[in-house]
Amino acid sequence: MSPSSPLSKKKFAELSRPQQVLVVLLAAVQLSLAVAAWADLARRPAGKINGSKLRWALTIAVNFFGPIRYFRKGRRD
């Protein structure tokens, strides 16, 4: 890719203000989901988890998909 390619990596300071706000907002949502999922995992007894707690703790670290997957598939009612 050439430096002028739309897919080239930019530094945060090179992004427009709306792009910076979007990046910060998405990062905050991702972090909030992960913290909520890890907190739930820590408090929930192992018998109410589908699979191992370690596996779910690692899965939660995967972008937006990990916490969402944990909340949908990892917990037993």
Side-chain angles (χ1 to χ4, degrees):
M1 280 184 256
S2 67
S4 62
S5 168
L7 298 178
S8 63
K9 292 184 179 182
K10 290 184 178 182
K11 294 181 180 177
F12 185 77
E14 295 173 338
L15 298 174
S16 68
R17 181 55 103 195
Q19 289 172 327
Q20 288 176 345
V21 169
L22 181 62
V23 167
V24 170
L25 179 64
L26 290 174
V29 169
Q30 180 178 343
L31 184 60
S32 297
L33 278 171
V35 167
W38 279 318
D40 182 82
L41 181 64
R43 287 191 295 261
R44 192 171 293 269
K48 295 203 174 209
I49 301 290
N50 290 321
S52 77
K53 282 191 160 195
L54 176 60
R55 187 189 80 187
W56 282 112
L58 295 173
T59 300
I60 290 167
V62 179
N63 293 330
F64 292 96
F65 304 108
I68 291 170
R69 183 166 174 84
Y70 168 73
F71 285 126
R72 296 194 72 209
K73 304 279 186 181
R75 304 182 303 166
R76 292 183 189 165
D77 291 329

